[in-house]
């Protein structure tokens, strides 16, 4: 059974009620604590005052007893018969007179000594033990009475001289302090009194008399000694000390609970200590106030109950409209826009309800339009991304159920952004509509689904299609795009990069297939392949790729990289001019990993900078060995896009020069056109710094970029490398041969050295030699070799003899 809303911590009702009740509780508890503390403080103050008064009363009682003793002793000392008995040394008469006088006032002790304090007569067998005290009283004019302990009993003693007219003796009389005196004190002031003294060997405190009763004595002594030990380090005198004692109900005491006690020392220093402990019950003193506290507590409980009921009622008045609004919001969230918001109030919640109602009407009005556009591309009327994902999920489920494949083909138009910028967005929209028409009418099968994902990206779902069939559909799309599109007197040539991913070979989830088809499409566009099927090497997130990338990060530290060198030869003399440095990865399990497997990962993650640093450092070491026999040799090292855009590259190269004693002129840094075009201005600044340091600079794969000539004249380069794609085909294709000749002439006119890479035949060697190319590099000369073999290869190298190689007449005329 669910709890009510006001008892559920997460609900607003609970928070409102908890806030109100919490504030009330805090105020009431603070009041009770303050009142309780005030009662305690005031009660202690009042009890302390009572104890001080009681001390004075007790002193007055002792003084009254001392006065009665003194009067009786004086009366006896002045009696003629008594003095006659003294003169005649009549011991019996003296004893009789002492006994009579003592009995008359209730004295416990009466004694007479001569002037030398020799005992002559006494009413107590132990009177001789009072003689030292009697002597002190006789010799101290400021002291009229003393407290004396005899057999563990306290006696109050006074002394009066007997004169005739000189002092001929002393009369001493004393009272034994008994429980009656303490009971009188308790009746007069409601203060309990206990007499404590030290006795025994070793001395220990014991209770002589107490108004609390004898059964309470052990606990009283224990509590009093503990309080006295706590206060022993204070600077108060013994008389000023007071403490709180706690007597339990089973102590046998007349009074239990908390008592405030005050010490009243009796006797003088040097004598056995006797202390009167005056006590007043704190519980009795605060009892009237405690009843008031209980009354306040009862009032607080009633107030909390009333307050809780009112708080719950108020919270419900606030939260009930909010619940109604929440229900309306849930209905809106579920798509129910027909039921009006029912809350009608004039407060802020009413304003919120009106806003909800306005929102409901607006959302309902737009819902129809949204539903129409949710799964359809407004421009081409093709399914949009969401509809395509739904269709793809259904196709994957069908393919899995029937154990058959399905394929996703994604294409992105080439140069569409340029068309938009030049001819305008309206023309671009019409172009996209025409592309959609050709895809649906000329390229797809009857059950294929063509969708537009956005921009110039289209995608095709091919049920029951494997990779081979998908490649066939891609070729059909390419044929459909061979015909230019004419719109408004403008003719546009169509081309696109196409990526293919298949289920289950490349994934069994819709988003995965689309993502991998997109990766393949970008690879097709980047490498100008036209069509590309997804491969795990393209995907940094595949398990194989992640494993390879993780292992690559440790390859440098574990000395798994190997430097390979491919010679560069002078076409004019046949001499070895240097080599291009290439990296290989000697993996302990995978064997020799080719660069194409790990260089793309290094480029994407930025690890390529580490590889470049390793290659430059290793090349510098090889150069130092080679220069011992061939000081003119140079080594070329490739710089990636990330290297070129690194603002610290020049500083890193300077550190290598200083650390390895590297001659910058012996190293050529090769940069691709695409690397320069990513950020031409930044690349130009980096190249100028490197050139100023003395490094040779080369443009690699020249002719494959789009803006080579625009930036070539501004770049501080020393060399052009003709891309191998032109060198491969120039023996068979006269146009490629013309491009090579034009490139060589262009470079020479700019004062640049020309290197042809990819030479694989003697015919290519002779043709390039005839065209005036400066250097050659390729398998016809030598394959890349481990650095340790390069020096031996140089010693064994002889230039090829190509005099007998014949060139076709067209190629011969081209070389003239």
């Amino acid at each position: 059974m669910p709890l009510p809303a006001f008892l559920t911590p997460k609900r607003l009702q609970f928070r409102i009620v908890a806030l109100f009740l919490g504030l009330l509780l805090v105020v009431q508890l603070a009041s009770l604590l303050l009142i309780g503390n005030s009662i305690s403080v005031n009660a202690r103050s009042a009890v302390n005052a009572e104890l001080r008064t009681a001390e004075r009363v007790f002193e007055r009682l002792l003084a009254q007893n001392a006065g009665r003793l003194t009067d009786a002793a004086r009366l006896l000392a002045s009696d003629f018969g008594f003095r006659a008995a003294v003169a005649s040394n009549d011991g019996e008469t003296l004893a009789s007179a002492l006994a009579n006088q003592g009995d008359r006032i209730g004295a416990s002790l009466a004694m007479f000594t001569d002037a030398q304090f020799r005992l002559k007569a006494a009413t107590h067998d132990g009177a001789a033990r009072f003689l030292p005290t009697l002597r002190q009283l006789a010799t101290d004019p400021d002291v009229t009475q003393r407290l004396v302990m005899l057999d563990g009993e306290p006696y109050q003693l006074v002394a009066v001289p007997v004169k005739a007219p000189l002092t001929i003796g002393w009369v001493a009389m004393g009272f034994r302090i008994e429980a009656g005196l303490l009971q009188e004190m308790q009746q007069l002031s409601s203060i309990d009194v206990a007499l404590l003294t030290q006795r025994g060997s070793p001395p220990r405190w014991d209770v002589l008399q107490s108004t609390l009763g004898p059964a309470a004595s052990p606990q009283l002594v224990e509590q009093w000694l503990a309080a006295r030990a706590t206060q022993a380090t204070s600077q108060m005198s013994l008389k000023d000390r007071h403490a709180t004692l706690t007597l339990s109900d089973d102590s046998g005491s007349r009074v239990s609970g908390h008592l405030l006690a005050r010490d009243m020392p009796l006797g003088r220093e040097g004598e056995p200590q006797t202390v009167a402990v005056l006590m007043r019950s704190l519980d009795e003193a605060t009892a009237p106030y405690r009843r008031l506290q209980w009354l306040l507590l009862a009032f607080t409980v009633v107030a909390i109950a009333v307050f809780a009921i009112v708080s719950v009622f108020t919270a419900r008045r606030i939260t009930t409209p909010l619940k109604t609004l929440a229900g309306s919001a849930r209905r809106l969230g579920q798509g129910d826009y027909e039921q009006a918001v029912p809350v009608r109030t004039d407060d802020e919640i009413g304003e919120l309800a009106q806003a909800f109602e306005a929102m409901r009407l607006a959302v309902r009005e737009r819902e129809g339009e949204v539903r129409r556009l949710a799964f359809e591309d407004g421009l081409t009327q093709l399914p949009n991304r969401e509809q395509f994902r739904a269709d793809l999920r259904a196709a994957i489920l069908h393919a899995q159920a029937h154990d058959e494949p399905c394929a996703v083909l994604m294409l992105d138009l080439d140069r569409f952004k340029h068309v938009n910028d030049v001819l305008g967005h309206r023309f671009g929209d019409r172009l996209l509509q025409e592309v959609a028409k050709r895809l649906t009418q000329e390229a797809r099968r009857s059950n294929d689904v063509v969708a537009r994902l956005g921009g110039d990206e289209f995608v095709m779902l091919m049920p029951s299609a494997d990779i081979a069939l998908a490649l066939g559909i891609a070729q059909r799309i390419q044929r459909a795009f061979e015909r230019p599109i004419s719109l408004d007197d403008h003719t546009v040539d169509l081309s696109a990069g196409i990526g293919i991913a298949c289920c289950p070979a490349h994934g069994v989830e819709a988003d995965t297939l689309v993502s991998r088809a997109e990766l393949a499409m970008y690879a097709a566009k980047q490498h100008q392949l036209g069509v590309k099927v997804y491969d795990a090497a393209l995907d940094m997130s595949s398990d194989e790729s992640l494993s390879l990338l993780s292992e690559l990060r440790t390859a440098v530290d574990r000395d798994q990289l190997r430097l390979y060198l491919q010679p560069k030869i002078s076409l004019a003399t046949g001499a070895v001019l240097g080599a291009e440095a290439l990296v290989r990865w000697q993996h302990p399990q995978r064997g020799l990993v080719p660069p194409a497997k790990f260089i793309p990962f290094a480029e994407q993650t930025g690890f390529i900078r580490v590889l470049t640093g390793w290659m430059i450092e290793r090349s510098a070491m090889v150069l130092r060995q080679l220069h011992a026999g061939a000081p003119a040799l140079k080594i070329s090292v490739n710089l990636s896009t990330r290297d070129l855009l690194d603002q610290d590259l020049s500083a890193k190269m300077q550190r290598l020069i200083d650390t390895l004693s590297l001659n910058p002129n012996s190293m050529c840094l090769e940069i691709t056109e695409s690397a320069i075009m990513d950020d031409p201005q930044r690349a130009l600044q980096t190249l100028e710094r490197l050139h100023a340091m003395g490094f040779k600079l080369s443009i690699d794969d020249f002719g494959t970029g789009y803006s080579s000539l625009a930036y070539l004249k501004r770049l501080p380069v020393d060399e052009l490398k003709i891309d191998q794609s032109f060198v491969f085909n120039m023996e068979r294709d006269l146009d490629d041969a013309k491009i090579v000749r034009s490139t060589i002439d262009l470079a020479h006119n700019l004062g640049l050295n020309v290197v042809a890479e990819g030479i694989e035949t003697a015919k290519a060697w002779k043709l390039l030699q005839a065209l005036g190319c400066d250097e050659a590099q390729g398998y016809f000369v030598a394959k890349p070799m481990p650095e340790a073999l390069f020096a031996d290869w140089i010693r064994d190298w002889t230039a090829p003899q190509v005099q007998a190689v014949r060139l076709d007449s067209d190629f011969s005329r081209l070389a003239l």
Side-chain angles (χ1 to χ4, degrees):
M1 180 178 178
L3 292 173
F6 65 87
L7 292 180
T8 305
K10 293 184 178 180
R11 303 301 294 272
L12 181 60
Q13 277 193 40
F14 175 85
R15 296 177 184 177
I16 294 174
V17 173
L19 176 63
F20 289 169
L21 291 182
L23 291 175
L24 178 63
L25 283 173
V26 168
V27 172
Q28 291 298 106
L29 287 176
S31 300
L32 289 173
L33 290 175
L34 183 61
I35 291 171
N37 184 64
S38 298
I39 290 173
S40 178
V41 171
N42 292 333
R44 283 181 172 273
S45 178
V47 170
N48 271 324
E50 289 183 31
L51 289 175
R52 286 192 294 270
T53 301
E55 183 177 4
R56 291 192 295 270
V57 171
F58 194 65
E59 289 176 347
R60 180 66 58 86
L61 286 175
L62 292 177
Q64 286 178 354
N65 280 342
R68 288 169 57 200
L69 290 173
T70 302
D71 291 341
R74 284 177 180 167
L75 180 61
L76 185 59
S78 61
D79 183 74
F80 178 79
F82 183 77
R83 283 188 292 175
V86 171
S88 62
N89 196 20
D90 186 355
E92 291 183 3
T93 303
L94 292 174
S96 176
L98 290 172
N100 291 334
Q101 188 69 0
D103 291 340
R104 197 163 35 245
I105 63 170
S108 304
L109 166 69
M111 60 185 291
F112 171 75
T113 68
D114 60 14
Q116 286 73 37
F117 301 103
R118 291 188 295 266
L119 182 63
K120 296 299 182 178
T123 62
H124 195 285
D125 294 338
R129 285 178 285 182
F130 290 95
L131 292 178
T133 304
L134 177 59
R135 184 185 296 272
Q136 291 176 358
L137 284 171
T139 56
D140 188 350
D142 296 327
V143 178
T144 61
Q145 58 98 17
R146 293 292 303 277
L147 192 70
V148 183
M149 295 297 298
L150 181 62
D151 297 330
E153 297 290 340
Y155 286 84
Q156 188 178 17
L157 186 67
V158 299
V160 175
V162 179
K163 295 184 179 182
L166 298 177
T167 300
I168 59 174
W170 292 87
V171 175
M173 303 193 77
F175 280 120
R176 184 163 61 88
I177 299 177
E178 297 178 338
L181 179 65
L182 305 186
Q183 293 294 341
E184 183 181 0
M185 176 70 184
Q186 200 277 331
Q187 293 170 3
L188 288 174
S189 59
S190 299
I191 299 295
D192 287 288
V193 184
L195 292 181
L196 281 71
T197 187
Q198 281 185 316
R199 53 188 175 184
S201 181
R204 62 182 181 82
W205 286 97
D206 198 1
V207 177
L208 298 176
Q209 300 290 343
S210 172
T211 59
L212 298 177
S217 298
Q219 196 173 127
L220 174 62
V221 173
E222 179 185 355
Q223 293 277 323
W224 180 75
L225 287 176
R228 198 175 195 196
T230 303
Q231 296 179 344
T233 57
S234 67
Q235 299 300 316
M236 294 185 297
S237 66
L238 182 62
K239 194 172 181 179
D240 291 332
R241 294 180 187 174
H242 59 271
T244 301
L245 308 180
T246 304
L247 300 181
S248 61
D249 293 335
D250 58 355
S251 63
S253 172
R254 189 184 64 80
V255 179
S256 61
H258 301 289
L259 293 84
L260 197 62
R262 181 178 180 85
D263 293 354
M264 181 179 174
L266 304 176
R268 302 183 61 177
E269 294 184 5
E271 299 176 353
Q273 292 190 40
T274 302
V275 177
V277 180
L278 307 179
M279 295 167 288
R280 177 74 164 93
S281 173
L282 283 173
D283 296 335
E284 291 180 359
T286 57
Y289 303 103
R290 296 305 177 193
R291 287 192 291 272
L292 176 61
Q293 280 187 299
W294 282 110
L295 183 61
L296 287 175
L297 182 60
F299 175 78
T300 299
V301 171
V302 173
I304 290 174
V306 173
F307 210 79
I309 295 172
V310 174
S311 299
V312 170
F313 178 75
T314 303
R316 283 180 175 174
R317 285 183 59 86
I318 295 174
T319 57
T320 299
L322 293 178
K323 284 183 180 180
T324 304
L325 291 178
S328 298
R330 282 192 291 271
R331 287 194 298 275
L332 291 175
Q334 294 168 358
D336 180 7
Y337 305 109
E338 301 305 320
Q339 186 172 347
V341 178
V343 177
R344 295 290 183 269
T345 60
D346 296 330
D347 54 11
E348 290 82 354
I349 296 179
E351 294 178 4
L352 180 61
Q354 293 175 11
F356 262 79
E357 178 65 12
M359 180 182 70
R360 181 187 70 83
L361 296 175
V363 171
R364 185 179 65 176
E365 182 179 344
R366 289 192 292 270
E367 178 69 11
E369 182 69 14
V370 169
R371 288 184 180 276
R372 187 182 67 81
L373 298 176
F375 301 105
E376 181 182 291
D377 177 57
L379 179 65
T380 61
Q381 280 71 55
L382 293 175
N384 63 7
R385 181 184 295 271
E386 289 302 317
Q387 182 63 56
F388 180 79
R389 289 176 66 188
D391 293 342
L392 179 56
R393 290 192 190 100
I396 291 173
L397 292 175
H398 182 273
Q400 291 175 331
H402 295 82
D403 194 21
E404 61 183 27
C406 66
V408 173
L409 183 151
M410 184 177 290
L411 64 91
D412 184 88
L413 299 179
D414 295 330
R415 300 180 299 280
F416 178 74
K417 182 177 184 300
H418 178 72
V419 171
N420 253 358
D421 293 343
V422 174
L423 299 178
H425 290 280
R426 292 189 62 186
F427 185 89
D429 290 344
R430 295 177 61 193
L431 178 63
L432 291 175
Q433 291 170 342
E434 185 64 28
V435 169
K437 186 184 299 183
R438 288 198 182 184
L439 287 174
T440 54
Q441 294 178 357
E442 302 180 27
R444 74 182 183 96
R445 300 174 300 168
S446 59
N447 60 338
D448 292 343
V449 176
V450 178
R452 180 185 175 220
L453 300 184
D456 57 342
E457 284 188 350
F458 293 85
V459 66
M460 182 182 293
L461 168 60
M462 293 170 283
S464 304
D466 55 13
I467 294 177
L469 183 55
L471 286 171
I473 297 296
Q475 293 172 359
R476 188 187 300 180
I477 293 173
Q478 289 179 320
R479 288 194 298 271
F481 282 5
E482 287 177 355
R483 301 191 319 275
I485 293 178
S486 297
L487 296 170
D488 298 337
D489 299 328
H490 295 288
T491 300
V492 179
D493 291 321
L494 287 179
S495 63
I498 301 175
I500 297 173
C502 289
C503 171
H506 301 142
V508 292
E509 293 184 359
D511 291 340
T512 301
L513 283 177
V514 172
S515 174
R516 290 178 174 177
E518 188 175 23
L519 280 174
M521 177 196 72
Y522 286 139
K525 290 175 68 70
Q526 181 179 0
H527 300 290
Q528 300 179 354
L529 301 176
V531 180
K532 175 69 176 177
V533 178
Y534 169 78
D535 186 280
L538 301 174
D539 190 356
M540 289 289 295
S541 64
S542 69
D543 294 340
E544 179 184 358
S545 301
L546 289 174
S547 175
L548 200 64
L549 176 60
S550 176
E551 295 166 358
L552 177 61
R553 295 185 184 279
T554 61
V556 175
D557 296 334
R558 296 180 180 176
D559 196 26
Q560 296 176 2
L561 299 182
R562 303 288 182 266
L563 185 70
Y564 274 58
L565 298 174
Q566 186 173 30
K568 296 171 73 172
I569 308 299
S570 170
L571 286 169
T573 65
V576 179
L577 301 178
E580 179 179 0
L582 304 169
V583 66
R584 300 291 186 267
W585 181 8
Q586 188 64 49
H587 194 280
Q589 284 82 36
R590 304 175 190 266
L592 195 65
V593 182
K597 286 286 188 180
F598 64 89
I599 292 297
F601 296 152
E603 283 276 10
Q604 294 178 47
T605 62
F607 190 74
I608 191 67
R609 295 175 180 174
V610 178
L611 293 182
T612 302
W614 180 88
M615 289 187 65
I616 293 174
E617 182 176 349
R618 191 66 196 165
S619 299
M621 295 179 181
V622 172
L623 279 172
R624 192 157 50 192
Q625 298 171 0
L626 294 175
H627 284 172
L633 291 179
K634 295 181 177 62
I635 290 184
S636 299
V637 178
N638 288 282
L639 293 183
S640 70
T641 301
R642 287 183 178 266
D643 292 323
L644 193 59
L645 299 181
D646 185 359
Q647 294 297 305
D648 297 329
L649 178 62
S650 56
K652 294 176 181 177
M653 298 300 291
Q654 186 61 52
R655 285 196 293 271
L656 288 173
I657 292 173
D658 298 337
T659 304
L660 303 174
S661 302
L662 173 66
N663 180 6
N665 290 318
S666 64
M667 186 168 286
C668 182
L669 304 177
E670 297 186 0
I671 308 100
T672 61
E673 287 184 90
S674 59
I676 297 172
M677 295 310 300
D678 279 352
D679 192 341
Q681 189 62 35
R682 194 168 166 187
L684 178 61
Q685 294 173 358
T686 302
L687 292 176
E688 286 175 344
R689 287 195 291 267
L690 293 173
H691 189 266
M693 294 168 66
F695 289 100
K696 302 296 183 183
L697 301 177
S698 174
I699 299 295
D700 195 11
D701 299 336
F702 183 77
T704 60
Y706 295 105
S707 304
S708 303
L709 296 179
Y711 287 94
L712 182 60
K713 63 181 180 180
R714 300 172 55 192
L715 297 175
V717 296
D718 306 282
E719 178 182 282
L720 290 184
K721 292 186 74 173
I722 302 175
D723 184 66
Q724 59 184 359
S725 62
F726 299 113
V727 177
F728 285 152
N729 298 324
M730 70 178 184
E731 303 174 37
R732 300 176 297 278
D733 192 328
L734 187 62
D735 290 334
D736 280 344
K738 290 177 181 179
I739 292 174
V740 171
R741 187 188 70 174
S742 299
T743 303
I744 294 172
D745 292 341
L746 172 66
H748 286 166
N749 289 334
L750 293 174
L752 304 179
N753 193 52
V754 182
V755 180
E757 58 179 346
I759 296 178
E760 296 189 352
T761 64
K763 188 175 180 180
W765 175 284
K766 186 169 184 177
L767 180 57
L768 286 169
Q769 194 177 49
L771 293 175
C773 185
D774 301 299
E775 299 179 25
Q777 175 183 346
Y779 281 12
F780 180 69
V781 176
K783 293 182 179 181
M785 63 190 73
E787 57 177 90
L789 304 178
F790 187 61
D792 294 337
W793 182 90
I794 293 176
R795 285 194 297 270
D796 298 338
W797 162 255
T798 55
Q801 302 299 318
V802 295
Q803 292 83 357
V805 176
R806 295 178 58 83
L807 298 175
D808 295 340
S809 57
D810 290 338
F811 290 97
S812 298
R813 286 193 296 272
L814 185 65
L816 296 178

